[in-house]
Amino acid sequence: MNSPTVKRYLPWVVATALFMEQLDSTIVNTAVPAMAASLHVTPLSLKAVITSYILSLAVCIPVSGWMADRFGTRRVFGVAVAVFIFSSILCGLAVNAPMLVAARILQGIGAAMMMPVGRLAIIRTFPKAELLTAMNFVIIPALIGPLLGPTVGGLIVHWLSWREIFFANVPVGLVALLLIHRHMPDYRGAAPRPLDLVGLVLFGSGTALLSWLLEVFGEHHLDVTSAAILLLLSLSLLAAYVLHARQASYPLLRLALFRIRTFRVSVVGGFITRLGVGGLPFLLPLLYQLGLGLPAWESGLLMMPSAAAAMAMKLISARVLRRHGYRQVLIVNTVMIGLTLCLFSLVIPATPIILIVLLGLAQGFFNSLQFSGMNSMAYADIETPDSSMASTIASTLQQISMSFGLACGSLIVAWYLGGLPQTDRVAVTNALHHAFLTLGGLTILSSLSFRALRSGDGESVSRGNLHEAE
């Protein structure tokens, strides 16, 4: 099962599917105005096109581990990609807003199965000494997709139509299906556990409601009382799940894994860190277009340096983590991410483009190292029988944190903007600058969570990668 051929091609299989998913999740934002005009609805009413996808992700990711254990990684991953392709075609053929929303829900279900199942296959194929290198390769699409999405989406809408945004997934998906058929290993759980339906209802509804609240807050007129009641309800559902998981024999998400220090620090610390980083795909285009007055295409190009730096870091991150250790790297690197976020508050129309490019390079460089460290350290002390559950938990919280980060970024900007109109360029720029300072400060504080690590933590993952990095 772990033949050299599988090891050679599996990262490409997972990376191809992950890139398709990550690109699609951000490329749609640019096309909303064009969709609204084509379907004869208001742009605001198409917010559901984005939120429906996020909600289906939040609800369905926890089930992916159970499905992989029961039906096998190859079948589940292949079906997930096929569902994603089919729903993408339905999105492109949509004749009205309800059909588009329904297709996006189906698309989110397919995407929810791809990320954790692909990561699970990587974990079970590569020994821990080779895991960091493999994870480095696979995580790059997750960094590049959100950065390329707005640019690619803008170009497609400008030259073609919004429907081609969804049709573009088809050739990529077909390549992924071919790779899955030839090179995807078929792992199953030794003793598949029953599905925790009560846990699914509690966790899924609580997460979905909380995600929906954060996504629509500020976009719709929701009175404070209603918002507070819904927030309390969502938190109550999640608290009920925690109580249920402690008593259930086979919980949907086994919270006992958080007793493992490296897993707990990686997942919880990563959750907080991603709250700051998750807002970048939303905040940076606003800063460049509204703050600096740049056209959309030039704003998109300014997102490219981060993607290039992320790819470059992949070549040396294994060496850095091996030489300095996870604890030191994650503490220092988290502070550097926070500082670069804060530096974006100094970007004004008079700022030379070269300085903005250098700042983008630094941001992508540190982000890539951070994700490589957090995503690989999570499995340093996880035993093979627990790898499916660990992958499910990590993927669930990662998706939620990035979604929350995007929502929090918009909420913070709206809070600083107050009642001023969004057409006030100076007010919007000041609000964005304050938002970058706030998110940067939150990120710097999140570095404290990594102080719980010990100097030798993660060596089972990083050991043996120094030679490969060289």
Side-chain angles (χ1 to χ4, degrees):
M1 187 70 73
N2 297 353
S3 66
T5 303
V6 170
K7 287 186 176 181
R8 184 181 304 117
Y9 290 105
L10 179 60
W12 283 98
V13 175
V14 180
T16 302
L18 185 58
F19 176 76
M20 177 177 65
E21 174 199 335
Q22 292 291 321
L23 184 65
D24 183 89
S25 65
T26 53
I27 199 174
V28 175
N29 297 322
T30 311
V32 167
M35 290 180 189
S38 173
L39 300 176
H40 307 293
V41 295
T42 61
L44 188 59
S45 66
L46 285 185
K47 182 69 174 177
V49 171
I50 300 171
T51 56
S52 59
Y53 181 85
I54 293 172
L55 294 184
S56 58
L57 273 176
V59 172
C60 296
I61 282 180
V63 188
S64 60
W66 175 83
M67 292 191 67
D69 285 343
R70 188 172 185 85
F71 301 108
T73 52
R74 179 187 296 166
R75 180 183 299 179
V76 174
F77 199 72
V79 169
V81 173
V83 168
F84 195 88
I85 297 173
F86 176 69
S87 56
S88 295
I89 295 173
L90 291 181
C91 287
L93 297 176
V95 296
N96 53 47
M99 179 178 174
L100 183 58
V101 171
R104 285 288 281 174
I105 292 174
L106 184 62
Q107 196 178 38
I109 293 173
M113 301 297 164
M114 283 196 281
M115 183 195 313
V117 175
R119 181 180 293 176
L120 172 61
I122 292 288
I123 295 167
R124 291 192 177 178
T125 297
F126 290 87
K128 290 183 178 179
E130 301 175 11
L131 187 58
L132 177 57
T133 301
M135 295 286 278
N136 274 347
F137 184 89
V138 173
I139 199 62
I140 293 302
L143 297 169
I144 297 177
L147 296 175
L148 294 184
T151 306
V152 175
L155 291 175
I156 290 178
V157 171
H158 179 74
W159 293 107
L160 300 169
S161 76
W162 64 268
R163 298 182 185 276
E164 273 65 39
I165 281 179
F166 297 104
F167 294 146
N169 290 329
V170 177
V172 180
L174 291 177
V175 170
L177 284 177
L178 179 62
L179 291 173
I180 291 167
H181 176 70
R182 290 185 175 181
H183 305 295
M184 186 74 175
D186 193 29
Y187 299 114
R188 296 171 184 263
R193 63 190 188 278
L195 180 60
D196 179 15
L197 291 176
V198 175
L200 177 61
V201 171
L202 291 174
F203 184 84
S205 57
T207 303
L209 182 56
L210 187 57
S211 299
W212 180 82
L213 271 175
L214 289 173
E215 290 295 324
V216 305
F217 193 77
E219 297 291 340
H220 296 279
H221 295 290
L222 192 66
D223 62 273
V224 176
T225 302
S226 299
I229 292 174
L230 291 175
L231 176 61
L232 181 61
L233 177 59
S234 66
L235 295 178
S236 298
L237 288 168
L238 292 175
Y241 174 75
V242 172
L243 295 175
H244 165 78
R246 289 178 176 178
Q247 301 172 358
S249 301
Y250 300 97
L252 183 72
L253 299 175
R254 186 147 50 85
L255 304 182
L257 287 180
F258 283 99
R259 295 172 186 167
I260 301 174
R261 188 181 63 260
T262 49
F263 181 79
R264 179 179 67 252
V265 173
S266 174
V267 173
V268 176
F271 186 95
I272 303 173
T273 300
R274 288 187 181 94
L275 287 179
V277 178
L280 285 180
F282 172 77
L283 296 180
L284 287 181
L286 288 181
L287 177 65
Y288 296 150
Q289 294 181 45
L290 300 181
L292 306 186
L294 300 177
W297 67 268
E298 192 170 348
S299 168
L301 288 178
L302 283 178
M303 304 290 282
M304 296 293 192
S306 292
M311 296 181 68
M313 169 51 76
K314 179 178 73 73
L315 302 176
I316 64 172
S317 61
R319 177 188 299 176
V320 172
L321 288 165
R322 173 68 176 86
R323 184 162 298 169
H324 300 286
Y326 278 85
R327 184 180 190 274
Q328 183 176 346
V329 169
L330 288 175
I331 291 174
V332 174
N333 196 69
T334 305
V335 172
M336 297 306 297
I337 292 176
L339 290 176
T340 53
L341 277 170
C342 292
L343 287 175
F344 278 110
S345 67
L346 302 178
V347 174
I348 57 175
T351 303
I353 292 294
I354 185 63
L355 293 182
I356 300 176
V357 170
L358 290 175
L359 186 55
L361 285 170
Q363 187 70 46
F365 194 79
F366 294 130
N367 282 356
S368 180
L369 179 58
Q370 189 78 5
F371 291 158
S372 292
M374 294 187 304
N375 290 338
S376 59
M377 188 187 68
Y379 307 99
D381 300 315
I382 296 294
E383 300 296 333
T384 300
D386 294 326
S387 57
S388 175
M389 180 60 69
S391 177
T392 300
I393 294 175
S395 297
T396 300
L397 292 183
Q398 179 179 329
Q399 175 60 42
I400 293 173
S401 64
M402 295 299 285
S403 173
F404 285 8
L406 187 64
C408 287
S410 63
L411 288 174
I412 291 172
V413 172
W415 187 77
Y416 281 119
L417 189 61
L420 298 176
Q422 296 183 20
T423 53
D424 188 334
R425 181 173 165 182
V426 174
V428 171
T429 303
N430 288 335
L432 286 168
H433 284 167
H434 284 90
F436 280 119
L437 288 172
T438 301
L439 293 174
L442 174 65
T443 303
I444 291 174
L445 286 176
S446 74
S447 68
L448 297 175
S449 62
F450 297 112
R451 294 178 65 87
L453 294 174
R454 298 172 185 169
S455 58
D457 284 344
E459 285 187 355
S460 61
V461 176
S462 62
R463 186 184 297 118
N465 284 297
L466 180 58
H467 176 73
E468 294 177 30
E470 293 172 344

